[in-house]
Amino acid sequence: MDDPWPTSAAAERRESGVDLHLDLPSGTPHGRRAGLERALREAVRGGRLAPGSRLPSSRRLAAETGLSRGTVKAAYDQLTAEGYLTARQGSGTVVADRPRGPSAPAPGRSSAARPPLHDLRPGSPDVASFPTSAWLRATRRALAAVPSAAYGYGDPRGRPELRAVLAEYLGRTRGVVAEPDRIVVVSGYVQGLALLTGVLGGAPGRTGAGPVVGMEDPGLPFHREVVRQAGGRVVPVPVDERGAGADLPRMDAVVVTPAHQYPTGVTLHPARRHALTAWARETGGVVVEDDYDGEFRYDRQPVGALQGTAPDHVVYVGTASKTLGPALRLGWMVLPPQLVRPVTEAKLYSDYHTGAIGQLTLAELIADHAYDRHVRAARLRYRRRRDLLVARLTGAAGCPGVGVRGIAAGLHALVSLPQDGPDEAEALRRAAAEGLAVGALGGHWHTAEGTVRPAPGRPQGLIVGYGTPGEGGYPAALAALTRVLRA
């Protein structure tokens, strides 16, 4: 990165950088390099080196510290790979723009304003791999073919072009029994869940309080709150190694994630699948199948949707959030016949209909099989990431006592903590110090008060998403996770 010698005023300024006061340990060259890396990390984390600060050239720092230039450059390269430093053409090496950690936002700034240095939070795909070129081509083709009426108000159920290709696609890839007239396009899973809760609360013969909705325990707290905000009452449905459904309480509906339970990662056992559909047939209750990442299965073909075994009793809900990106706000519900009309009416009075341009583009993307190609490529990419995660945590040089569950499918894994290592709270503190964002199992358990505080004695663990980081940042994120988990 450095020129052989500065030959101009600008070069002299680049050469000078900032004065560093580093307390380096004595010892072998390898130990001194590690000490230099540690001292620089601490200076960045502690704020002594602010984002954008220019560091001395490797030549100058080597002269000041008595280290070889190669040792200094290797330390710079390591910290650049970890995200602490950035090598800028013409500006030398500078401190990267990074947050102070999830628990310590910069003064005057929201903690949500700047992303973490290493993002292993679950819930999002690698949005950097969004198929921009294919999406643009599909948009041009779609808009060139539709009538001008497509730009006006439309059917609350969604564009007929998208509902038609979804019926074919879902039947072909997920085993869903779908007809276009039974599909309602929604603005994401959250809207679909809220619409269903409201509809079930207004079902014939129901008076007073809203519907009782069973939700997996552990499960996503935000989704529980969506149901409550829509007028429903949430009851826990325990999840074990076979999934949910062992002992179903009295309720109007139950929401499950059969393909890859969130957050434990278990796949619903065939016996539990039968128990859920039998419960729905016997009681008239509704099973809501959240197929949020069903396309991503790594040990065999994706498990078919539960809806295919009881299409008159199961509401199938899918989205483009994990395959393409949550910014599209595109989801779909395949409904039992008796729910089509009330859900369509609820959609009408909610927001009339979902944006037509995105629907038309997605329809073209699916019809051209570009969507299939993108999903296949993403599946291979996420499988490599999953394999690297497992190897880094459980391999010979990994973290003793750490277990990784839920790795057969999806975009996240549940990492159990070693008995002699950090507990969940300590792991989160260590992660914050590393600039690492991860999920925690504790907040996903139901409590009697309706809060998300973990109950004593329940299992602890970290929920690690491997979809969010870009390809270049993933190894550094795993290195940070390994440091957090080691005792």
Side-chain angles (χ1 to χ4, degrees), residues 336-357:
Q338 70 274 15
L339 289 179
V340 173
R341 182 173 179 177
V343 169
T344 300
E345 185 173 281
K347 171 68 174 173
L348 172 66
Y349 291 109
S350 172
D351 63 354
Y352 208 117
H353 63 79
T354 300
I357 306 303

mmCIF file of all heavy atoms in Angstrom, residues 336-357:
data_model
loop_
_atom_site.group_PDB
_atom_site.id
_atom_site.type_symbol
_atom_site.label_atom_id
_atom_site.label_comp_id
_atom_site.label_asym_id
_atom_site.label_seq_id
_atom_site.Cartn_x
_atom_site.Cartn_y
_atom_site.Cartn_z
ATOM 1 N N PRO A 336 -57.613 -21.793 2.774
ATOM 2 C CA PRO A 336 -58.763 -22.691 2.653
ATOM 3 C C PRO A 336 -59.935 -21.916 2.048
ATOM 4 O O PRO A 336 -60.034 -20.688 2.217
ATOM 5 C CB PRO A 336 -59.045 -23.102 4.102
ATOM 6 C CG PRO A 336 -57.767 -22.859 4.844
ATOM 7 C CD PRO A 336 -57.147 -21.678 4.169
ATOM 8 N N PRO A 337 -60.821 -22.606 1.343
ATOM 9 C CA PRO A 337 -61.903 -21.895 0.645
ATOM 10 C C PRO A 337 -62.710 -20.952 1.527
ATOM 11 O O PRO A 337 -63.063 -19.847 1.111
ATOM 12 C CB PRO A 337 -62.771 -23.035 0.100
ATOM 13 C CG PRO A 337 -61.851 -24.205 -0.011
ATOM 14 C CD PRO A 337 -60.879 -24.062 1.111
ATOM 15 N N GLN A 338 -62.989 -21.347 2.767
ATOM 16 C CA GLN A 338 -63.853 -20.538 3.630
ATOM 17 C C GLN A 338 -63.197 -19.243 4.090
ATOM 18 O O GLN A 338 -63.880 -18.343 4.595
ATOM 19 C CB GLN A 338 -64.298 -21.361 4.842
ATOM 20 C CG GLN A 338 -63.206 -21.673 5.862
ATOM 21 C CD GLN A 338 -62.404 -22.911 5.519
ATOM 22 O OE1 GLN A 338 -62.459 -23.418 4.389
ATOM 23 N NE2 GLN A 338 -61.688 -23.443 6.499
ATOM 24 N N LEU A 339 -61.868 -19.116 3.920
ATOM 25 C CA LEU A 339 -61.182 -17.911 4.379
ATOM 26 C C LEU A 339 -60.863 -16.926 3.256
ATOM 27 O O LEU A 339 -60.425 -15.808 3.533
ATOM 28 C CB LEU A 339 -59.882 -18.291 5.102
ATOM 29 C CG LEU A 339 -60.030 -18.960 6.462
ATOM 30 C CD1 LEU A 339 -58.666 -19.310 7.039
ATOM 31 C CD2 LEU A 339 -60.788 -18.063 7.432
ATOM 32 N N VAL A 340 -61.076 -17.320 2.004
ATOM 33 C CA VAL A 340 -60.686 -16.453 0.891
ATOM 34 C C VAL A 340 -61.445 -15.126 0.921
ATOM 35 O O VAL A 340 -60.840 -14.044 0.855
ATOM 36 C CB VAL A 340 -60.908 -17.171 -0.454
ATOM 37 C CG1 VAL A 340 -60.662 -16.192 -1.610
ATOM 38 C CG2 VAL A 340 -59.993 -18.382 -0.582
ATOM 39 N N ARG A 341 -62.748 -15.206 1.039
ATOM 40 C CA ARG A 341 -63.531 -13.967 0.995
ATOM 41 C C ARG A 341 -63.248 -13.055 2.186
ATOM 42 O O ARG A 341 -62.999 -11.850 1.985
ATOM 43 C CB ARG A 341 -65.021 -14.300 0.911
ATOM 44 C CG ARG A 341 -65.903 -13.058 0.807
ATOM 45 C CD ARG A 341 -67.353 -13.426 0.549
ATOM 46 N NE ARG A 341 -68.203 -12.237 0.471
ATOM 47 C CZ ARG A 341 -69.497 -12.266 0.202
ATOM 48 N NH1 ARG A 341 -70.101 -13.433 -0.033
ATOM 49 N NH2 ARG A 341 -70.193 -11.145 0.155
ATOM 50 N N PRO A 342 -63.272 -13.546 3.437
ATOM 51 C CA PRO A 342 -63.011 -12.629 4.549
ATOM 52 C C PRO A 342 -61.600 -12.051 4.544
ATOM 53 O O PRO A 342 -61.412 -10.883 4.891
ATOM 54 C CB PRO A 342 -63.270 -13.478 5.792
ATOM 55 C CG PRO A 342 -63.266 -14.893 5.331
ATOM 56 C CD PRO A 342 -63.684 -14.889 3.912
ATOM 57 N N VAL A 343 -60.609 -12.837 4.142
ATOM 58 C CA VAL A 343 -59.243 -12.306 4.096
ATOM 59 C C VAL A 343 -59.116 -11.272 2.989
ATOM 60 O O VAL A 343 -58.459 -10.234 3.163
ATOM 61 C CB VAL A 343 -58.216 -13.448 3.921
ATOM 62 C CG1 VAL A 343 -56.827 -12.881 3.604
ATOM 63 C CG2 VAL A 343 -58.154 -14.307 5.176
ATOM 64 N N THR A 344 -59.736 -11.523 1.839
ATOM 65 C CA THR A 344 -59.703 -10.547 0.746
ATOM 66 C C THR A 344 -60.347 -9.232 1.179
ATOM 67 O O THR A 344 -59.830 -8.142 0.883
ATOM 68 C CB THR A 344 -60.436 -11.110 -0.484
ATOM 69 O OG1 THR A 344 -59.806 -12.320 -0.908
ATOM 70 C CG2 THR A 344 -60.425 -10.106 -1.628
ATOM 71 N N GLU A 345 -61.443 -9.317 1.901
ATOM 72 C CA GLU A 345 -62.104 -8.101 2.377
ATOM 73 C C GLU A 345 -61.235 -7.374 3.400
ATOM 74 O O GLU A 345 -61.129 -6.132 3.378
ATOM 75 C CB GLU A 345 -63.453 -8.467 2.992
ATOM 76 C CG GLU A 345 -64.278 -7.264 3.405
ATOM 77 C CD GLU A 345 -65.668 -7.662 3.851
ATOM 78 O OE1 GLU A 345 -66.520 -7.914 2.972
ATOM 79 O OE2 GLU A 345 -65.884 -7.739 5.080
ATOM 80 N N ALA A 346 -60.591 -8.136 4.278
ATOM 81 C CA ALA A 346 -59.705 -7.520 5.258
ATOM 82 C C ALA A 346 -58.525 -6.844 4.567
ATOM 83 O O ALA A 346 -58.100 -5.751 4.971
ATOM 84 C CB ALA A 346 -59.213 -8.572 6.253
ATOM 85 N N LYS A 347 -58.016 -7.457 3.529
ATOM 86 C CA LYS A 347 -56.918 -6.861 2.766
ATOM 87 C C LYS A 347 -57.380 -5.563 2.110
ATOM 88 O O LYS A 347 -56.654 -4.549 2.111
ATOM 89 C CB LYS A 347 -56.426 -7.862 1.718
ATOM 90 C CG LYS A 347 -55.426 -7.310 0.701
ATOM 91 C CD LYS A 347 -54.102 -6.960 1.322
ATOM 92 C CE LYS A 347 -53.107 -6.556 0.232
ATOM 93 N NZ LYS A 347 -51.841 -6.046 0.803
ATOM 94 N N LEU A 348 -58.581 -5.554 1.561
ATOM 95 C CA LEU A 348 -59.130 -4.362 0.911
ATOM 96 C C LEU A 348 -59.138 -3.181 1.867
ATOM 97 O O LEU A 348 -58.699 -2.082 1.513
ATOM 98 C CB LEU A 348 -60.545 -4.662 0.411
ATOM 99 C CG LEU A 348 -61.340 -3.468 -0.134
ATOM 100 C CD1 LEU A 348 -60.697 -2.940 -1.410
ATOM 101 C CD2 LEU A 348 -62.789 -3.868 -0.382
ATOM 102 N N TYR A 349 -59.607 -3.408 3.086
ATOM 103 C CA TYR A 349 -59.730 -2.304 4.039
ATOM 104 C C TYR A 349 -58.426 -2.047 4.804
ATOM 105 O O TYR A 349 -58.349 -1.097 5.580
ATOM 106 C CB TYR A 349 -60.880 -2.570 5.004
ATOM 107 C CG TYR A 349 -62.218 -2.496 4.302
ATOM 108 C CD1 TYR A 349 -62.969 -3.638 4.062
ATOM 109 C CD2 TYR A 349 -62.704 -1.271 3.843
ATOM 110 C CE1 TYR A 349 -64.190 -3.563 3.401
ATOM 111 C CE2 TYR A 349 -63.912 -1.191 3.175
ATOM 112 C CZ TYR A 349 -64.660 -2.340 2.951
ATOM 113 O OH TYR A 349 -65.854 -2.266 2.280
ATOM 114 N N SER A 350 -57.426 -2.878 4.574
ATOM 115 C CA SER A 350 -56.126 -2.644 5.186
ATOM 116 C C SER A 350 -55.292 -1.683 4.331
ATOM 117 O O SER A 350 -54.874 -0.625 4.788
ATOM 118 C CB SER A 350 -55.373 -3.959 5.370
ATOM 119 O OG SER A 350 -54.043 -3.737 5.790
ATOM 120 N N ASP A 351 -55.061 -2.056 3.071
ATOM 121 C CA ASP A 351 -54.278 -1.186 2.186
ATOM 122 C C ASP A 351 -54.697 -1.319 0.718
ATOM 123 O O ASP A 351 -53.939 -0.964 -0.174
ATOM 124 C CB ASP A 351 -52.785 -1.467 2.332
ATOM 125 C CG ASP A 351 -52.401 -2.887 1.926
ATOM 126 O OD1 ASP A 351 -53.314 -3.699 1.638
ATOM 127 O OD2 ASP A 351 -51.205 -3.204 1.907
ATOM 128 N N TYR A 352 -55.886 -1.844 0.488
ATOM 129 C CA TYR A 352 -56.484 -2.055 -0.837
ATOM 130 C C TYR A 352 -55.783 -3.184 -1.578
ATOM 131 O O TYR A 352 -56.374 -4.213 -1.848
ATOM 132 C CB TYR A 352 -56.474 -0.775 -1.684
ATOM 133 C CG TYR A 352 -57.603 -0.716 -2.695
ATOM 134 C CD1 TYR A 352 -58.568 0.276 -2.610
ATOM 135 C CD2 TYR A 352 -57.721 -1.649 -3.710
ATOM 136 C CE1 TYR A 352 -59.616 0.337 -3.527
ATOM 137 C CE2 TYR A 352 -58.747 -1.605 -4.623
ATOM 138 C CZ TYR A 352 -59.707 -0.609 -4.537
ATOM 139 O OH TYR A 352 -60.741 -0.570 -5.439
ATOM 140 N N HIS A 353 -54.523 -3.004 -1.933
ATOM 141 C CA HIS A 353 -53.780 -4.106 -2.547
ATOM 142 C C HIS A 353 -52.290 -3.815 -2.461
ATOM 143 O O HIS A 353 -51.873 -2.663 -2.288
ATOM 144 C CB HIS A 353 -54.196 -4.336 -4.013
ATOM 145 C CG HIS A 353 -53.904 -3.180 -4.924
ATOM 146 N ND1 HIS A 353 -52.652 -2.913 -5.437
ATOM 147 C CD2 HIS A 353 -54.722 -2.221 -5.432
ATOM 148 C CE1 HIS A 353 -52.704 -1.846 -6.222
ATOM 149 N NE2 HIS A 353 -53.949 -1.394 -6.232
ATOM 150 N N THR A 354 -51.492 -4.858 -2.586
ATOM 151 C CA THR A 354 -50.036 -4.724 -2.579
ATOM 152 C C THR A 354 -49.575 -4.107 -3.900
ATOM 153 O O THR A 354 -50.217 -4.277 -4.930
ATOM 154 C CB THR A 354 -49.393 -6.105 -2.366
ATOM 155 O OG1 THR A 354 -49.850 -6.632 -1.110
ATOM 156 C CG2 THR A 354 -47.888 -6.040 -2.352
ATOM 157 N N GLY A 355 -48.441 -3.393 -3.862
ATOM 158 C CA GLY A 355 -47.929 -2.711 -5.040
ATOM 159 C C GLY A 355 -47.854 -3.608 -6.270
ATOM 160 O O GLY A 355 -47.295 -4.707 -6.226
ATOM 161 N N ALA A 356 -48.413 -3.131 -7.389
ATOM 162 C CA ALA A 356 -48.550 -3.958 -8.588
ATOM 163 C C ALA A 356 -47.234 -4.155 -9.333
ATOM 164 O O ALA A 356 -47.006 -5.218 -9.920
ATOM 165 C CB ALA A 356 -49.593 -3.353 -9.526
ATOM 166 N N ILE A 357 -46.359 -3.150 -9.355
ATOM 167 C CA ILE A 357 -45.132 -3.255 -10.154
ATOM 168 C C ILE A 357 -44.250 -4.388 -9.646
ATOM 169 O O ILE A 357 -43.730 -5.190 -10.430
ATOM 170 C CB ILE A 357 -44.357 -1.924 -10.140
ATOM 171 C CG1 ILE A 357 -45.258 -0.771 -10.588
ATOM 172 C CG2 ILE A 357 -43.120 -2.017 -11.026
ATOM 173 C CD1 ILE A 357 -45.864 -0.958 -11.951
#
